[in-house]
Every structure is written in C-alpha cells, then in structure tokens.
Amino acid sequence: MGQNTYLALAPLLSNLISPRSYIPSLADVAKHMHSYLRLSFDGYRQGESPQPFEIGLFGYCSKTSKLSMFHYTIKLEDDGVCRVTCEPHENMQDKEFIYLGDKKTLMYAKISAAFAGESIPGRPLSRIPRYVIQDHIDDPEFLSIGGDLQLGIADRFGFRPFMLCKPRVTGQPAALISYLGRELTPEIANVGEAEVGGPAIV
C-alpha cells in the first residue's frame, strides 16, 4: 500500500498548476495526502485486512519557513472503524523527534534519555537518534526493529538522502557504502562503465 501510494502521489504532486503564483504549504500537501491515503486504505480494506502502517511526511515549508512533520497511522476510532489519521507536528524544534516503528514507548524513552545526556566520541548528541536506533537494530533481542538506517538532511533546500558509510566490523578500518540497507557491491555499484555516486554520511 505504501509503495503504491507513493507511486501515485509523486506524479500528482509534481504536476500542480495554478492560475496565479501559488505554492501550497506543507500542511496543504499533508491534507491532500491524508485524503488520498484514506481513499487508498478504504480500497484495500475491501479485501484482506491491511497491515498497520505509519508514514511520515516531513520537510521545510517555504510558506511558514518552518520544519514540520505529519504523521499518518491507522487508528480505531470511536465508531469502531479503522481509519487513517494524521497528526501534525509543525515548527519542530531542536531535539524534537518522531519515532516510526515498533517498541514506541521504549524507543521514545531511550532517545529522550540519550538527548538528556552528553556527546561522547563517535556518538555526537546532534545525531543521537541514529545511534540509539542502530543499537536496537543490532540487538538480537529486538527482532521487530530491523532493516537498516536511511539518513538524509531536510532543510530549505529540500530533502537530500545520503548513502551510508559504516565499518564492516566495528572498530576496524574497512568500511562499506550502502543505500536503503543494501551494500553497493560491484554488481550494483556500476552501470556499464559508470559508477553509482552521490554523497555518503557516516
């Protein structure tokens, strides 16, 4: 459902027209996306029960000059019907975060506690959620927190995803480059004589 919704929304939102110089706010985009998600969810609900999901729409709003996020989830409402809901988090501030995934209570507590601490070598406080989440991905006790990290920067210039540079074995110099959890091995790092490039972040 998530992939199909993304594939539908990307061209819709990339081809907006207006009789005047109008740029929608991030909240306008979030409202449109909420309507589309509700229609999509109703369509999926006609068949098998869809799996619970979460979506985060985030970025810099050029109309409000603020960084915001809109969090979509499925919730059972008072009338006993499951619906897609949207929770806005507008004008987000330093150390404010939204965690998507399993073990929410635990992860919110761990990340909040880490933010209350201090930076240590190799784990700067400014990027502490990245390390807390990685710790739990690596911990075999948390099988429902898996996959890999996807890092990026959202600011007034847009969202820029980064490849991930990390050691093959912690504490040793050999490193690998991955994107969306897949190492860029020779089989997928080259396209003919060209090489997959782009910025990477540690």
Side-chain angles (χ1 to χ4, degrees):
M1 178 177 171
Q3 186 69 16
N4 287 341
T5 300
Y6 171 79
L7 291 171
L9 284 171
L12 289 176
L13 293 171
S14 299
N15 291 285
L16 301 179
I17 57 174
S18 172
R20 56 189 176 88
S21 297
Y22 172 79
I23 298 174
S25 67
L26 189 60
D28 291 331
V29 175
K31 183 178 179 182
H32 174 82
M33 184 169 161
H34 188 203
S35 297
Y36 195 93
L37 283 170
R38 290 186 82 150
L39 290 170
S40 298
F41 179 70
D42 286 346
Y44 275 89
R45 197 170 48 187
Q46 302 304 318
E48 296 181 10
S49 298
Q51 294 293 315
F53 68 88
E54 292 181 273
I55 296 174
L57 171 67
F58 63 94
Y60 176 85
C61 178
S62 59
K63 294 201 100 170
T64 64
S65 300
K66 296 174 181 176
L67 287 167
S68 299
M69 177 174 175
F70 297 83
H71 184 200
Y72 303 89
T73 56
I74 297 174
K75 289 188 179 175
L76 182 63
E77 298 190 344
D78 294 338
D79 59 3
V81 177
C82 286
R83 291 192 177 89
V84 178
T85 62
C86 176
E87 182 180 357
H89 299 270
E90 298 183 83
N91 192 23
M92 294 185 73
Q93 301 299 308
D94 187 41
K95 298 184 181 179
E96 187 177 355
F97 66 94
I98 309 299
Y99 171 78
L100 278 66
D102 199 22
K103 309 291 185 190
K104 285 192 186 305
T105 302
L106 172 72
M107 295 301 286
Y108 268 98
K110 291 278 187 87
I111 294 172
S112 297
F115 266 134
E118 297 181 1
S119 291
I120 60 174
R123 290 173 73 105
L125 197 61
S126 61
R127 293 174 54 204
I128 203 65
R130 175 247 194 274
Y131 297 104
V132 173
I133 293 170
Q134 184 69 61
D135 290 344
H136 288 78
I137 289 172
D138 296 340
D139 190 334
E141 290 188 20
F142 296 94
L143 296 177
S144 60
I145 301 177
D148 202 358
L149 297 172
Q150 175 59 57
L151 302 180
I153 295 174
D155 58 19
R156 63 191 181 93
F157 299 109
F159 176 71
R160 299 182 305 285
F162 285 81
M163 288 183 268
L164 187 62
C165 178
K166 61 183 181 180
R168 289 189 179 280
V169 179
T170 303
Q172 296 185 12
L176 62 86
I177 302 290
S178 69
Y179 185 70
L180 293 178
R182 191 171 303 284
E183 181 182 351
L184 295 184
T185 58
E187 294 88 350
I188 59 173
N190 299 293
V191 183
E193 296 181 9
E195 186 173 340
V196 174
I201 194 169
V202 176

